[in-house]
Amino acid sequence: MEVRTRFAPSPTGYMHIGNLRTALYAYLHARKNGGKFILRIEDTDQARLVEDSVKVIYESLRVTGLEHDEGPDKGGPVGPYVQSQRLPLYKQYAEQLLKEGHAYRCFCDKQEKTEEPGEEAHDGPILGYDGRCSRLSEAEVQANLAKGMPYVIRQKIDHEGKTSFKDFVYGDIEVDHKQLDDQILLKRDGYPTYNFANVVDDHLMGITHVMRGCEYISSTPKYILLYKAFGWEIPEHIHLPHILGESGKKLSKREGSVALSDFLNKGYLPEAILNYIALLGWNPGTEQEFFTKADLIEKFDIARIGKAPAMFDMVKLTWLNAQHVKAMKPEEAHELFLKFYPERIVKGFDAKKLTGFIQGKVEKLSDIPQMTAFLAELDEKYAAELFVHAKNKTTLESSKAALKDLEGVLNALPAWDYAGILAAVKTYAEAKGAKLGPVMWPLRIAISGQAVTPTGAVEIAELLGKPETLRRISVAIGKL
C-alpha cells in the first residue's frame, strides 16, 4: 500500500512553527517510504481567513524545501485540494449520514441555551450540545423544513457506548461516549466543520497516516465514529506532542517568536529550522544533532516520536544554525552574507575575503551588520581598560609600548597581505622574547575597539588596509 500523508493548514495567518513541524514529519514519512505528500487547504472557517495566507503557505513550503506531490497549485487525481471547492461532496456525505441515521438536523438558534440540568441531563454528554433536536419526530422535522427554518447537521452519537482506538504515539485510548457531544458536521451556510471535512477528505484522498497535534486526541473518537458510520478504513493516527515555550506553556505569540517568517527574518537558515524542529518530539536514537534534509529523510522513523512535550530552546536553535552556516559552501555563504552586509562594507572592503574570515563565527545572519560595523567605522570612544588582559598579561603600559613598536614595523612593510602582516608581528614578538598573545591583543583592540571580534587581528588589519590600520594604531597610542 502506498503511503500517503498530508499537510492541511488553514489560511488564517502566519506559518506557526508547530504547524511546520507537522508538515515536516508528514513530508519525511512520505519520502522515507516512497509515498506521496499532499497539500490540502482547509478554508472552511470563512470568518477566520486572512488575505494572502495561502501565499504564505506556499512560500513557507518552498523556502523550507518541503515539496508536495499533489495540491491546489499542482493538481492531482483526488482534487480539488481546497475545501471550499469541495462543498457538494460534504453535502452528499452529510445527507448519507442523515439517511442512515448517523446524523440529524438541528434547528436550534446559535444563541439558544441548552437545557438546564435535570433528570434527563445526567445521561447526556458532559460538554456541549444536549442533543434535543435528535429527539424530534419526523413530522416535527418536516414541519420545520416546511417553515423554511435554517438548520445545521449534527453527528448522532449513541451516548451509551465507548470508542477505543490505538494512536501510534500515545497507544490505546478509550473514551466514554458520555464525554462526546453531537458535533456539527455541516453548518447553515453549507460549509462543513473541520471535524467533518477532514474525515471525508482524508478518506477520499487516500490518506494512510494522519499527523496532527495531540490537542486533537479528544476529538479523534468522533472521527473514528464517522469512519465506522461510513464503513471506511480508519487511517493510522499519529498525534504529536506539544511544543512548549520557555515558561512551560504551549508555544504561542505571547511566548515570543512562533512564526517561520520571524525566524527567517532574524537570519536563521531554513535548513537549521527544519533540523531543530525535527528534534522537537523525535529522537534519532543516537547522539547526532546536525541533520541535513537528506539525513532526516534517511533517519526519520515515526516509531521514535515521543509523548513528552518538547521545550523550544532558542539557544539550541542558534547553535544548530551556526553549524549549518559553517557547513555551507563558501560561495553559497558569501551569496547569502551579501544580503546582510551594510553597503559600506560591500563598497569599502573585500567582502568575499571577509566572508571567508567570519563564516565560522556567524550564529545567525542578522548578526552580520553588527559584527562587521567596526570595520566601516571605529568607535574611538572605546575604553582604554580593554587593553588590560589578565590571561595575556597586558597592561596599559605594555600595550602602549607594543603598539608604538608595531606602528613602525607595519609601516615598513612593502606589501600589505595576511602572510606579510603575520610574519612581521611574529618576528617582532620573537625579537622581544614575548609570546604572540601579548602582542596580538593590543593590536586587535587598537584596530577594532572591541574585546570580541569575528576574526583575528591580522585578518582585520588586512581588511582595513595599511593606512587605516596605522591610523587606528595612532589613535590607540594617543588614548594610552
Side-chain angles (χ1 to χ4, degrees):
M1 181 178 67
E2 180 184 55
V3 168
R4 287 175 66 83
T5 66
R6 48 75 161 171
F7 177 48
S10 297
T12 54
Y14 58 89
M15 175 66 76
H16 190 285
I17 214 74
N19 290 343
L20 184 63
R21 183 190 63 172
T22 301
L24 173 63
Y25 283 12
Y27 170 85
L28 293 175
H29 186 61
R31 291 290 175 266
K32 175 75 177 283
N33 293 281
K36 293 288 193 297
F37 173 56
I38 291 110
L39 172 64
R40 183 173 75 223
I41 302 299
E42 300 199 335
D43 61 346
T44 57
D45 192 347
Q46 296 284 297
R48 294 180 61 231
L49 299 188
V50 175
E51 191 177 357
D52 292 333
S53 288
V54 173
K55 291 181 182 176
V56 171
I57 293 167
Y58 288 141
E59 178 60 17
S60 298
L61 295 180
R62 185 197 67 77
V63 76
T64 54
L66 302 182
E67 314 93 356
H68 52 286
D69 302 296
E70 302 170 23
D73 56 334
K74 294 186 176 182
V78 291
Y81 294 87
V82 177
Q83 287 186 334
S84 60
Q85 298 171 13
R86 299 168 64 83
L87 299 186
L89 281 170
Y90 307 128
K91 183 180 181 186
Q92 172 192 332
Y93 285 102
E95 288 177 348
Q96 179 181 331
L97 291 175
L98 281 174
K99 183 179 178 182
E100 296 174 357
H102 297 297
Y104 60 90
R105 293 179 178 87
C106 174
F107 300 93
C108 294
D109 186 78
K110 287 182 182 180
Q111 281 73 43
E112 190 171 348
K113 292 181 180 179
T114 57
E115 295 172 352
E116 291 298 320
E119 288 185 19
E120 293 181 8
H122 294 299
D123 293 325
I126 293 173
L127 299 171
Y129 181 65
D130 61 7
R132 65 177 67 179
C133 282
S134 67
R135 298 186 285 275
L136 293 177
S137 67
E138 181 60 24
E140 288 173 310
V141 170
Q142 292 303 320
N144 287 341
L145 291 175
K147 295 176 192 173
M149 288 180 66
Y151 63 87
V152 300
I153 296 178
R154 287 184 181 272
Q155 182 178 4
K156 189 173 186 178
I157 295 176
D158 178 3
H159 295 291
E160 293 302 314
K162 293 181 180 180
T163 290
S164 60
F165 67 98
K166 188 178 184 68
D167 181 74
F168 195 86
V169 174
Y170 290 85
D172 294 318
I173 295 172
E174 184 178 77
V175 176
D176 193 308
H177 288 185
K178 285 185 172 64
Q179 298 179 39
L180 307 178
D181 65 335
D182 292 354
Q183 65 177 349
I184 295 174
L185 304 179
L186 210 63
K187 295 178 280 189
R188 292 180 177 186
D189 59 6
Y191 275 82
T193 58
Y194 164 83
N195 292 322
F196 184 50
N198 88 84
V199 169
V200 172
D201 289 341
D202 284 343
H203 171 72
L204 296 180
M205 293 182 178
I207 302 304
T208 58
H209 296 76
V210 174
M211 296 190 192
R212 56 178 164 237
C214 61
E215 62 269 23
Y216 289 100
I217 287 179
S218 61
S219 299
T220 302
K222 299 177 188 179
Y223 309 153
I224 301 296
L225 289 172
L226 286 172
Y227 279 108
K228 289 181 176 179
F230 284 120
W232 293 341
E233 185 176 349
I234 300 169
E236 188 80 68
H237 284 86
I238 304 166
H239 287 93
L240 309 179
H242 284 310
I243 300 176
L244 307 180
E246 291 180 1
S247 69
K249 296 178 181 177
K250 189 179 174 184
L251 192 66
S252 67
K253 272 192 170 181
R254 284 187 288 272
E255 299 289 314
S257 298
V258 294
L260 171 63
S261 56
D262 291 340
F263 293 103
L264 294 174
N265 291 337
K266 288 177 181 177
Y268 289 96
L269 299 177
E271 299 88 345
I273 296 170
L274 289 186
N275 184 167
Y276 181 62
I277 64 173
L279 299 172
L280 295 177
W282 170 73
N283 181 346
T286 66
E287 296 299 312
Q288 183 178 351
E289 293 182 301
F290 179 93
F291 291 90
T292 62
K293 192 175 77 169
D295 292 335
L296 289 172
I297 292 172
E298 180 188 346
K299 302 285 178 63
F300 186 75
D301 183 353
I302 56 173
R304 298 200 65 86
I305 297 174
K307 301 176 186 178
M311 186 72 72
F312 196 94
D313 184 349
M314 285 296 298
V315 174
K316 185 66 172 288
L317 170 60
T318 301
W319 176 83
L320 265 177
N321 196 65
Q323 306 312 304
H324 279 270
V325 172
K326 196 181 296 185
M328 293 180 78
K329 293 178 180 178
E331 57 271 21
E332 291 176 356
H334 182 56
E335 186 177 342
L336 208 52
F337 282 25
L338 281 174
K339 299 174 184 176
F340 289 84
Y341 283 139
E343 188 178 358
R344 291 176 69 182
I345 295 295
V346 176
K347 289 185 175 180
F349 298 88
D350 185 336
K352 192 169 187 179
K353 187 171 284 185
L354 173 59
T355 297
F357 288 155
I358 72 172
Q359 183 179 347
K361 302 288 182 65
V362 173
E363 290 190 325
K364 55 185 187 294
L365 302 178
S366 57
D367 293 340
I368 289 175
Q370 187 176 358
M371 287 175 70
T372 58
F374 73 93
L375 289 169
E377 185 174 358
L378 176 70
D379 179 4
E380 297 183 8
K381 294 179 181 179
Y382 66 88
E385 285 71 26
L386 288 176
F387 287 100
V388 179
H389 193 272
K391 186 178 178 181
N392 287 312
K393 298 179 181 178
T394 56
T395 63
L396 297 179
E397 294 76 17
S398 67
S399 295
K400 183 175 183 180
L403 289 174
K404 279 187 173 181
D405 291 342
L406 286 173
E407 186 176 32
V409 168
L410 296 176
N411 189 40
L413 283 177
W416 194 260
D417 56 45
Y418 179 87
I421 299 167
L422 180 60
V425 176
K426 277 186 172 181
T427 300
Y428 167 72
E430 288 169 4
K432 289 287 184 180
K435 291 182 179 179
L436 201 55
V439 177
M440 286 293 190
W441 182 260
L443 177 59
R444 183 165 69 161
I445 298 299
I447 60 180
S448 70
Q450 300 176 177
V452 179
T453 56
T455 190
V458 175
E459 291 92 336
I460 295 169
E462 184 186 16
L463 288 166
L464 289 173
K466 188 174 183 178
E468 180 62 13
T469 297
L470 293 174
R471 187 192 76 78
R472 294 187 180 194
I473 289 174
S474 177
V475 168
I477 292 169
K479 186 183 289 285
L480 293 167

